């Protein structure tokens, strides 16, 4: 599909990306397919038409989690952050344990400068997804530093060190936080 895009064979590339986006075995490949679809549709001049079709389909079937997620990712990728947040929040209420949607929501909240919501969502992720705790703590650290919450920043930096005590980068973050506060 990427080769077809480079060759400017957008119709053929869109078909390949459609197949990737339609599969449900691998979330990463599905999202790559969706991203490719959007780019191919943009090049073909039919992105707005596809967006309207999905919105109409969602009106008819408002509880379809796959469609909600797909449209939320579309909004996210084309810069309609508020619409994406609304759909991800809806998905959070219907699928509270879906970590992928919580991650997307945390990213959107952070980008939209919705600090309280970003912090709350990242704390929820810390509880639900221990494997990525260090990543979430680093994101919290960045938010705390950005809004000048010094005590919280120190606590987040200490938590990062606690998760990886022998990691020099973790200790560097803590030292930098102490230096900045």
């Amino acid at each position: 599909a990427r080769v077809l895009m480079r060759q400017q064979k957008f119709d053929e590339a869109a078909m390949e990306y459609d197949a990737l986006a339609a599969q449900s075995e691998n979330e990463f490949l599905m999202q790559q397919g969706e991203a490719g679809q959007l780019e191919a549709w943009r090049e073909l001049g039919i992105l707005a038409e596809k967006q309207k079709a999905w919105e109409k389909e969602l009106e008819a079937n408002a509880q379809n989690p796959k469609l909600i997620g797909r449209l939320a990712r579309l909004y996210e990728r084309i810069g309609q952050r508020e619409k994406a947040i609304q759909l991800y929040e809806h998905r959070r209420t219907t699928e509270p344990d879906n970590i992928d949607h919580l991650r997307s929501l945390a990213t959107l909240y952070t980008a939209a400068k919705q600090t309280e919501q970003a912090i709350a969502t990242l704390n929820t992720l810390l509880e639900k997804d221990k494997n990525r705790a260090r990543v979430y703590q680093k994101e919290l650290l960045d938010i705390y530093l950005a809004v000048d919450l010094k005590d919280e920043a120190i606590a987040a930096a200490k938590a990062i060190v606690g998760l990886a005590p022998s990691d020099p980068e973790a200790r560097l973050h803590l030292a930098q936080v102490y230096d900045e506060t």
Side-chain angles (χ1 to χ4, degrees):
R2 288 181 183 156
V3 170
L4 292 169
M5 288 292 288
R6 282 192 293 268
Q7 294 174 347
Q8 297 186 355
K9 296 179 181 178
F10 303 120
D11 283 324
E12 295 172 38
M15 289 189 310
E16 295 298 326
Y17 282 125
D18 288 346
L20 272 177
Q23 63 83 35
S24 60
E25 298 295 313
N26 184 312
E27 180 86 14
F28 174 77
L29 291 177
M30 180 194 70
Q31 289 184 5
Q32 293 295 306
E34 287 178 2
Q37 276 179 324
L38 298 181
E39 187 61 32
W41 292 344
R42 183 177 287 124
E43 292 292 337
L44 292 167
I46 60 172
L47 180 59
E49 175 186 318
K50 293 289 189 176
Q51 178 182 342
K52 288 177 184 170
W54 283 0
E55 290 168 342
K56 189 174 182 174
E57 188 178 340
L58 184 61
E59 286 176 19
N61 192 2
Q63 298 305 316
N64 182 327
K66 185 172 182 170
L67 183 58
I68 293 168
R70 191 173 229 198
L71 192 55
R73 288 185 296 275
L74 178 135
Y75 287 148
E76 186 178 357
R77 287 184 180 115
I78 63 173
Q80 295 182 356
R81 192 179 299 144
E82 288 303 316
K83 287 183 176 182
I85 287 172
Q86 289 173 350
L87 288 176
Y88 279 123
E89 285 175 343
H90 176 69
R91 279 228 48 197
R92 181 178 54 192
T93 60
T94 59
E95 297 178 76
D97 293 329
N98 189 317
I99 292 171
D100 291 327
H101 301 306
L102 286 174
R103 270 192 231 123
S104 295
L105 196 51
T107 301
L108 286 167
Y109 283 146
T110 302
K113 307 282 189 245
Q114 295 180 1
T115 305
E116 290 178 23
Q117 295 90 335
I119 290 169
T121 304
L122 287 166
N123 281 321
T124 300
L125 283 164
L126 279 169
E127 294 170 15
K128 294 180 182 255
D129 187 10
K130 302 288 186 204
N131 292 333
R132 300 182 113 202
R134 189 167 164 197
V135 172
Y136 304 137
Q137 285 292 358
K138 177 65 171 95
E139 290 177 23
L140 282 168
L141 172 62
D142 293 341
I143 291 170
Y144 294 144
L145 289 172
V147 296
D148 204 31
L149 293 171
K150 295 174 182 171
D151 292 338
E152 289 84 351
I154 291 169
K158 285 181 178 180
I160 293 170
V161 170
L163 292 167
S166 62
D167 183 2
E169 186 177 327
R171 295 203 178 270
L172 177 63
H173 287 306
L174 181 58
Q176 288 171 333
V177 169
Y178 278 129
D179 186 48
E180 291 179 27
T181 56

